[in-house]
Amino acid sequence: MVAVDLATHPGHLARRLQQAHYLLWNTMVSEEITSPQFAVLNALVIEPGLDQRMVGERVGLDRSTIAEVISRLTRRELIDKVRDPQDGRRWILRLTPEGVRTHKKLAVRTARMNQIFLAPLDADEQAQFFDLIRRVADAAEGLRNPQGRDAEQAPAGARG
């Protein structure tokens, strides 16, 4: 039997990176609001008036995950839904005053956490890291949601 070097497996390294992020998030940012929940709050700060589908697209969450995140944030009274005056079937999401306060508080904590998380890299390395990880993430998103191809033509393992 031949062992593999897990240091050359991107999924293994991504999992380790995610574990480190999760630990830092829970200790430095919030034990109540998750990173995906913060991403939704942040998306609504950047672009007020998005609907659930659009928020999910902005933050890279699938339909079932974004629905659960929106539900939790609504129960916590950090966001609310209002009918779109142009399309009564559509619900627009907006931050509540408590949602705005929570976002501001967490944004400061997130910035500090990111400094610690990226401390092993100098400024140029951080820029390169973001470029590379963004390119891989964008390509992976393309595998999950192939444009112009139906599910039958998607690469093996990309169907889901």
Side-chain angles (χ1 to χ4, degrees), residues 3 13 144:
L13 295 172
R144 190 177 75 169

Side-chain angles (χ1 to χ4, degrees), residues 2-9 12:
V2 177
V4 297
D5 180 5
L6 292 178
T8 64
H9 284 244
H12 176 74

Side-chain angles (χ1 to χ4, degrees), residues 29 33 37-46 78 95-110:
V29 179
I33 304 296
Q37 290 170 355
F38 175 76
V40 168
L41 297 177
N42 197 63
L44 293 171
V45 166
I46 294 169
L78 299 177
L95 295 178
T96 64
E98 183 60 26
V100 171
R101 283 189 293 277
T102 298
H103 176 268
K104 284 181 184 176
K105 176 177 69 175
L106 297 183
V108 171
R109 293 178 185 176
T110 299

Side-chain angles (χ1 to χ4, degrees), residues 12-157:
H12 176 74
L13 295 172
R15 182 189 56 75
R16 288 182 54 209
L17 194 65
Q18 177 60 27
Q19 286 176 320
H21 179 267
Y22 181 80
L23 175 66
L24 283 175
W25 184 272
N26 283 338
T27 58
M28 297 187 69
V29 179
S30 178
E31 292 181 347
E32 293 83 32
I33 304 296
T34 65
S35 180
Q37 290 170 355
F38 175 76
V40 168
L41 297 177
N42 197 63
L44 293 171
V45 166
I46 294 169
E47 287 183 86
L50 296 174
D51 64 21
Q52 183 170 303
R53 180 189 58 79
M54 291 166 35
V55 171
E57 288 174 2
R58 300 299 192 276
V59 300
L61 295 175
D62 61 60
R63 288 189 348 202
S64 62
T65 304
I66 192 64
E68 181 58 31
V69 168
I70 297 298
S71 176
R72 288 177 188 219
L73 291 172
T74 302
R75 284 194 306 269
R76 293 183 68 95
E77 298 181 354
L78 299 177
I79 64 171
D80 61 14
K81 300 176 183 182
V82 294
R83 288 271 184 208
D84 182 341
Q86 275 72 46
D87 181 353
R89 299 168 297 172
R90 184 172 175 245
W91 290 92
I92 301 296
L93 304 174
R94 63 181 185 190
L95 295 178
T96 64
E98 183 60 26
V100 171
R101 283 189 293 277
T102 298
H103 176 268
K104 284 181 184 176
K105 176 177 69 175
L106 297 183
V108 171
R109 293 178 185 176
T110 299
R112 178 69 184 131
M113 182 206 71
N114 286 338
Q115 289 175 337
I116 291 170
F117 192 57
L118 297 171
L121 307 175
D122 66 32
D124 289 339
E125 290 170 327
Q126 288 180 22
Q128 183 180 19
F129 172 77
F130 281 117
D131 178 56
L132 294 172
I133 200 166
R134 193 176 299 116
R135 284 172 39 201
V136 171
D138 289 348
E141 184 69 23
L143 293 174
R144 190 177 75 169
N145 250 339
Q147 299 290 333
R149 295 188 300 179
D150 62 22
E152 297 304 314
Q153 294 174 326

